[in-house]
Amino acid sequence: MSTTDKYAFGMIGLGVMGRSLLLNMADHGFAVAGHDKDAGKVDSLNQEGSHLKVKGFLDVKEFIQNLKTPRAIMMLVPAGKPVDSVIEELSPLLDKGDILIDGGNSHFTDTNRRVGELEAKGLHFFGMGVSGGEEGARRGPSMMPGGDKDAYAVMQPIFEAIAAKVDGEPCVTYIGPGASGHFVKMVHNGIEYGIMQLLAETYEIMKNGLGMDNDAMQKVFAEWNAGRLQSFLMEITAEIFTYKEKGSDHLLLDDIKDEARAKGTGKWTSQVAMDLQAPSPVIDTAVAMRDLSKYKDMRVKAAEKYKSSQESTLQGDQAELLQSLEQAFYFSMIVTYAQGMFLLTNASIEYKYDLKLDEIAKIWRGGCIIRSLFLNDIYNAYQNDKSLAHLLLDDNVQNLVKEVLPGARKIVSAATAAGIAAPGYAAALSYFDAFRSARMPSNLTQAQRDFFGAHTYELIGKEGVFHTQWVINKMAGGN
């Protein structure tokens, strides 16, 4: 095969995402190839792309030989050991200067390690978060590449061509050095967890607290999606409330078990948020509620033991409560995004990523799972102040929060009184109230730590670190 007949880009892993991305590239005129050890997946690519410049290969060596040099290869395989296995298999077949891209949801610490290992072999490597699911991959995803800047420059024309577009601009940008691309995607997923939890709580409040049926809930979600709450997750929620299996007289939703699964990216976000001291309680709560949902048998037993004679309905006019619920969701969504952006701020400093938060918000506006109308406000906030310490300190965001705060207070109070769990809403409100506290009660925490562990404390208006013999002082004080 002549060099001109070879393929410009290769994909390892022809599952739904890998196949969809390759077909997207081929739609835009790029000659691309894919490899998978599953013959069925290779055949699927060749069938779907029969009219395009795309070809699937079962043999990895034949796949490599048919790529233009320097080769550019993207891996879309499960995070963890599968990525290392693919790299181990590919490395001996590649030449110095070839480019490897990890497009999966790898943990950023793994990406850091791989950067060093592949640099030592003379290979260019970068990690890239890809968001948008199957439809996004096929029609236009949001992509977050970070790492080798020169390698990204080679791929930039392809990625900009296939990315989702908002106002004519592609939803892809160079994120920063090292594992920054995968870090940003991880935080994206954490925000996704938080918003999904808020939607689940909204569903329960409407269903059990307001006694609404599926049709009524569908209308509310659809109406909200037509307003300031417009987002992909709100849109698909409204769609879920319309779906019935063929021949069924009820929603598929009502047949799905209330046990949520997870792939770990939400947990990773919470873990690193604690490491970086960037509190993200809405995301933490979302992770915890997915975990709690798995204990179905225990929850059923607890439901019997703790039956309440209290009404589980929210007290008040339904129309007014729905208005407050819309406000509460908007408020809690703002806080969730703010927590995610604050984590990115801290990570940028700690890991020297030099993240451009306005650019990140910009590429999240289209193609990705957490795209929403509010991301325009986030983009504007960081455009106006590149060094904005926290999203909640932006003047425009402040005005939005003040408008909807009463609804958040009303819903958290009403849900609590009715015995309906709304931990995401409560976490957002408590975080906000603590964040706006000029003086938190943490002085008592410091006194306690010093009392039992001699951990010391600092004093207001006095330099230095201090320790007190608390028990002795108590005894000296008499009765």
Side-chain angles (χ1 to χ4, degrees):
M1 175 180 274
S2 68
T3 303
T4 54
D5 292 331
K6 291 188 175 183
Y7 299 94
F9 180 83
M11 179 74 71
I12 303 281
L14 299 179
V16 170
M17 288 291 287
R19 186 171 71 251
S20 297
L21 277 172
L22 275 185
L23 292 170
N24 187 350
M25 293 175 185
D27 282 341
H28 285 85
F30 297 102
V32 293
H35 161 70
D36 201 291
K37 293 181 178 179
D38 184 330
K41 291 178 180 177
V42 172
D43 290 341
S44 292
L45 175 66
N46 287 330
Q47 288 169 15
E48 286 188 59
S50 59
H51 60 296
L52 298 167
K53 295 178 182 177
V54 59
K55 182 174 175 58
F57 293 88
L58 190 60
D59 181 83
V60 67
K61 290 183 180 178
E62 186 182 4
F63 164 73
I64 295 292
Q65 289 166 359
N66 278 276
L67 296 175
K68 289 181 179 179
T69 54
R71 302 175 186 90
I73 300 171
M74 181 169 169
M75 301 173 288
L76 263 177
V77 296
K81 290 182 180 179
V83 177
D84 289 318
S85 296
V86 170
I87 291 174
E88 187 177 342
E89 182 182 14
L90 283 181
S91 295
L93 306 175
L94 301 178
D95 298 322
K96 287 186 177 181
D98 286 348
I99 299 168
L100 263 183
I101 305 157
D102 179 5
N105 279 330
S106 289
H107 195 284
F108 76 100
T109 55
D110 287 339
T111 304
N112 280 333
R113 169 177 56 81
R114 290 167 187 146
V115 166
E117 291 173 353
L118 290 167
E119 276 182 359
K121 295 179 180 181
L123 297 173
H124 297 284
F125 176 77
F126 64 89
M128 182 170 75
V130 180
S131 180
E134 177 182 0
E135 182 65 19
R138 187 68 184 85
R139 305 299 171 196
S142 173
M143 292 173 285
M144 296 147 258
D148 190 319
K149 196 169 187 177
D150 293 335
Y152 171 68
V154 173
M155 297 306 307
Q156 189 172 348
I158 295 179
F159 290 150
E160 289 187 350
I162 69 167
K165 307 295 189 299
V166 174
D167 299 331
E169 296 181 291
C171 292
V172 59
T173 189
Y174 177 73
I175 297 296
S180 58
H182 276 147
F183 191 96
V184 169
K185 177 57 164 50
M186 177 191 70
V187 175
H188 163 288
N189 287 15
I191 294 169
E192 178 185 308
Y193 270 61
I195 295 173
M196 290 173 72
Q197 175 63 27
L198 293 171
L199 283 164
E201 292 176 22
T202 304
Y203 165 47
E204 181 163 28
I205 289 169
M206 288 197 288
K207 182 182 176 72
N208 297 328
L210 299 177
M212 297 169 64
D213 62 22
N214 287 331
D215 287 341
M217 288 186 281
Q218 193 279 331
K219 287 176 183 174
V220 169
F221 285 125
E223 286 172 6
W224 286 0
N225 192 55
R228 62 184 173 183
L229 300 187
Q230 187 276 321
S231 68
F232 174 73
L233 287 170
M234 187 68 73
E235 177 186 336
I236 67 168
T237 301
E239 287 292 320
I240 287 167
F241 276 87
T242 68
Y243 187 85
K244 297 177 182 178
E245 293 276 40
K246 190 174 182 180
S248 175
D249 62 353
H250 62 277
L251 296 184
L252 173 60
L253 176 65
D254 293 333
D255 290 335
I256 296 176
K257 286 184 177 181
D258 59 322
E259 298 176 53
R261 309 219 182 280
K263 289 189 175 179
T265 48
K267 178 183 71 175
W268 297 344
T269 307
S270 288
Q271 288 171 332
V272 77
M274 291 181 187
D275 291 339
L276 296 178
Q277 299 178 16
S280 58
V282 180
I283 298 169
D284 301 342
T285 297
V287 174
M289 290 302 103
R290 287 202 194 188
D291 290 342
L292 183 59
S293 78
K294 296 167 188 171
Y295 295 95
K296 176 71 171 178
D297 291 343
M298 280 195 285
R299 290 190 289 111
V300 170
K301 290 176 183 176
E304 286 296 317
K305 286 183 176 291
Y306 293 98
K307 275 185 177 177
S308 175
S309 58
Q310 278 186 303
E311 290 288 329
S312 62
T313 55
L314 271 63
Q315 300 301 305
D317 177 76
Q318 186 180 94
E320 291 179 1
L321 285 166
L322 278 173
Q323 185 178 8
S324 293
L325 187 57
E326 188 270 352
Q327 292 182 350
F329 185 89
Y330 194 55
F331 168 84
S332 301
M333 180 188 71
I334 290 172
V335 172
T336 305
Y337 277 112
Q339 290 173 5
M341 300 310 283
F342 185 55
L343 174 53
L344 292 180
T345 297
N346 284 25
S348 186
I349 297 168
E350 179 67 21
Y351 303 133
K352 298 179 173 57
Y353 285 157
D354 190 27
L355 298 179
K356 314 262 186 314
L357 297 190
D358 56 336
E359 290 296 311
I360 292 170
K362 187 177 179 181
I363 66 169
W364 281 353
R365 295 180 306 161
C368 77
I369 303 299
I370 64 168
R371 61 184 184 265
S372 69
L373 198 60
F374 179 64
L375 275 160
N376 287 315
D377 295 288
I378 300 178
Y379 171 68
N380 290 333
Y382 289 103
Q383 267 276 296
N384 293 336
D385 184 356
K386 304 283 188 182
S387 60
L388 182 64
H390 197 290
L391 186 62
L392 292 178
L393 297 178
D394 175 72
D395 289 342
N396 177 58
V397 172
Q398 175 194 351
N399 291 332
L400 295 175
V401 167
K402 284 183 175 180
E403 180 191 344
V404 295
L405 182 58
R409 296 200 186 285
K410 185 172 183 177
I411 290 300
V412 171
S413 176
T416 303
I420 294 175
Y425 280 116
L429 185 58
S430 292
Y431 173 89
F432 171 76
D433 282 334
F435 181 78
R436 69 183 187 88
S437 296
R439 182 172 172 84
M440 290 174 66
S442 308
N443 51 323
L444 176 59
T445 304
Q446 281 301 90
Q448 291 166 334
R449 292 180 70 247
D450 190 58
F451 191 114
F452 65 69
H455 293 299
T456 73
Y457 53 84
E458 295 169 287
L459 290 171
I460 298 169
K462 192 172 183 180
E463 292 294 322
V465 176
F466 302 90
H467 167 61
T468 293
Q469 295 293 332
W470 298 87
V471 176
I472 294 173
N473 285 351
K474 179 183 174 184
M475 292 172 65
N479 293 333

